[in-house]
Amino acid sequence: MEQISLLDEVFIVVDLETTGLNPFEGNEIIEIGVTEIKNGKIGRSYSRFVKPKEDIPPFITELTGISNDMVKKEDSIEDVLPRFRKYIGNNKIIAHNAKFDIKFLNFYLKKLGLEEINDYICTMELLKKVSSYKAKNKKLATACEYYGIENKDAHRASSDTLATAKLFLEIKDKIDK
């Protein structure tokens, strides 16, 4: 891992909840969560719903707890994403299984003519660099359990970003040693 300095840097931990696995098949973002890491400390954490064009499939509601009623009065991705992209700016993005989140973000960013995200850190990939990590897989829930990180509301964006932020700081500490 390249040397990552936590001093004077802002990292934006991102997690998305979606209606499926592939934006190229019409799946949509229904929740965006962020947690900030500033100067090596966890900062504010928040999430917001996004109103999809199609109904949320029942299995997604079962997994995430996000229902059609919860998103029906929310802004569309066309309204949310430009503000979100501006908020991110040039800060480095962190996500667990980042390829998934970046795939969705970049699909919709490109569709809206906004700058795509190419610079990010994946905590799932970082786990491969921690020689002491011996868990059965690299899923967020497994890694959190391994490191004793509580994730009260798994599969909800703000809870997953907070857990990922804590995981990133834990992994960074292990790699630095």
Side-chain angles (χ1 to χ4, degrees):
M1 177 170 98
E2 85 243 21
Q3 192 62 17
I4 297 172
S5 170
L6 294 180
L7 299 176
D8 301 322
E9 284 204 53
V10 176
F11 297 91
I12 308 294
V13 183
V14 175
D15 184 69
L16 305 177
E17 300 306 328
T18 64
T19 61
L21 300 176
N22 193 342
F24 298 98
E25 294 176 359
N27 298 138
E28 301 175 79
I29 297 170
I30 55 174
E31 186 180 30
I32 299 174
V34 301
T35 295
E36 296 174 353
I37 299 175
K38 291 183 178 181
N39 301 320
K41 304 263 188 258
I42 294 175
R44 74 181 188 144
S45 202
Y46 75 92
S47 68
R48 72 160 302 140
F49 291 126
V50 178
K51 181 181 179 180
K53 291 174 181 40
E54 302 291 327
D55 282 345
I56 299 171
F59 75 94
I60 294 295
T61 297
E62 189 175 314
L63 177 68
T64 65
I66 302 171
S67 69
N68 289 306
D69 283 345
M70 293 168 75
V71 299
K72 70 181 175 188
K73 293 183 180 174
E74 298 298 327
D75 290 336
S76 69
I77 196 69
E78 292 83 4
D79 293 325
V80 172
L81 207 52
R83 294 188 305 255
F84 180 72
R85 185 65 185 98
K86 185 176 180 183
Y87 164 74
I88 291 170
N90 292 323
N91 294 311
K92 184 150 326 221
I93 299 290
I94 299 172
H96 195 79
N97 190 14
K99 289 180 182 176
F100 177 83
D101 297 288
I102 297 299
K103 173 177 67 174
F104 268 89
L105 284 172
N106 282 343
F107 175 85
Y108 285 102
L109 287 168
K110 185 175 183 175
K111 190 174 179 180
L112 296 174
L114 300 169
E115 181 183 357
E116 294 180 44
I117 297 166
N118 297 308
D119 192 19
Y120 59 88
I121 297 169
C122 179
T123 52
M124 192 168 78
E125 292 298 318
L126 286 181
L127 284 170
K128 296 175 183 176
K129 300 182 183 299
V130 180
S131 60
S132 62
Y133 184 78
K134 304 291 185 218
K136 62 184 175 185
N137 62 50
K138 294 175 179 49
K139 292 179 181 179
L140 182 59
T142 306
C144 286
E145 183 179 326
Y146 185 86
Y147 286 114
I149 298 167
E150 183 178 22
N151 189 1
K152 285 192 274 190
D153 257 340
H155 300 293
R156 287 303 301 272
S158 63
S159 184
D160 284 353
T161 59
L162 182 57
T164 300
K166 291 176 182 178
L167 179 62
F168 171 73
L169 293 173
E170 184 72 33
I171 294 169
K172 175 140 179 34
D173 184 55
K174 300 285 185 231
I175 291 173
D176 286 349
K177 288 180 182 175

